[in-house]
Amino acid sequence: MMPETATITRIAPQEMGVTRLDIVRGLTGSERAVALYVSDMPTGRRRHSAEQLRDWIAQGFERLGREETARWGAFLRGHRLLDLNGLVSVQIQQRHEQRFPKAGRLVAADQQAASSVYRDRMSEETRLRNHVGEVDGDCPCRGTRRIRMHLEEGCDSLAMMCPVHAAATIRQMARA
């Protein structure tokens, strides 16, 4: 007698009343880039229709699932914020390259994701979390939200706000 096999019935988003556009609008720019990276999207720099991009984004989202897409997207955003400030450690870079070994594909996915954000927009809830990033490894701020910078010997040290962990504070200060 064979043991029982557990089966999971997967319901397509369309069957639940969710359109591809709803899925896309619920993803941040980084999450869309991640979804495109893991999808069947060709890497070459060609123009694609809005509908085709939505299909690939939804496909990648379904492959990774909501939690992993959000997690990878947050790590991608965190890496970008650190990279813009020259703060990516060897450990963080290695983990980034393990997750995204094809740099050219990530660039293409990122460009297409940006196009998607411009064209399809985001839901209000998604827009509010679009700036959130995480660090996959030891952040240079070590949880303090501040990164010490040493100039010359004999000078006091300066500190900058962590672009990942103090992003909300930085955004508030920019608005003021």
Side-chain angles (χ1 to χ4, degrees):
M1 178 172 234
M2 294 188 66
E4 268 186 53
T5 304
T7 59
I8 299 172
T9 305
R10 189 169 185 159
I11 301 171
Q14 297 85 348
E15 294 174 26
M16 298 182 331
V18 177
T19 66
R20 296 267 194 233
L21 184 57
D22 293 332
I23 292 170
V24 170
R25 286 183 175 160
L27 298 175
T28 67
S30 295
E31 291 166 350
R32 292 179 200 194
V34 165
L36 285 167
Y37 184 88
V38 302
S39 75
D40 290 340
M41 178 189 77
T43 302
R45 293 182 180 231
R46 295 185 331 193
R47 291 184 175 244
H48 307 289
S49 71
E51 192 57 41
Q52 181 63 70
L53 278 177
R54 287 182 200 123
D55 287 346
W56 284 323
I57 291 169
Q59 179 190 55
F61 175 74
E62 290 168 4
R63 280 184 181 167
L64 282 181
R66 179 176 305 281
E67 288 179 21
E68 280 301 294
T69 302
R71 188 170 154 268
W72 284 30
F75 288 149
L76 178 58
R77 177 73 178 153
H79 181 272
R80 281 188 193 137
L81 292 170
L82 291 175
D83 190 43
L84 286 170
N85 291 280
L87 298 169
V88 176
S89 69
V90 172
Q91 176 196 46
I92 293 168
Q93 185 63 32
Q94 286 174 343
R95 289 183 180 175
H96 175 76
E97 290 172 3
Q98 286 172 349
R99 190 170 285 113
F100 304 106
K102 298 177 182 173
R105 181 165 180 77
L106 183 58
V107 168
D110 202 27
Q111 290 170 345
Q112 295 297 332
S115 174
S116 169
V117 168
Y118 177 77
R119 184 179 37 255
D120 293 333
R121 306 288 184 215
M122 293 180 205
S123 68
E124 183 62 19
E125 177 186 326
T126 304
R127 189 187 65 75
L128 293 174
R129 66 182 177 81
N130 188 47
H131 68 280
V132 176
E134 292 182 28
V135 178
D136 188 11
D138 296 329
C139 185
C141 78
R142 302 195 189 313
T144 65
R145 299 171 39 128
R146 302 185 75 67
I147 299 170
R148 294 181 148 265
M149 302 175 72
H150 301 283
L151 301 175
E152 298 175 8
E153 274 194 46
C155 293
D156 292 334
S157 64
L158 299 173
M160 68 178 277
M161 296 176 87
C162 177
V164 177
H165 296 109
T169 305
I170 293 169
R171 288 171 55 94
Q172 285 177 338
M173 291 174 70
R175 290 185 198 140

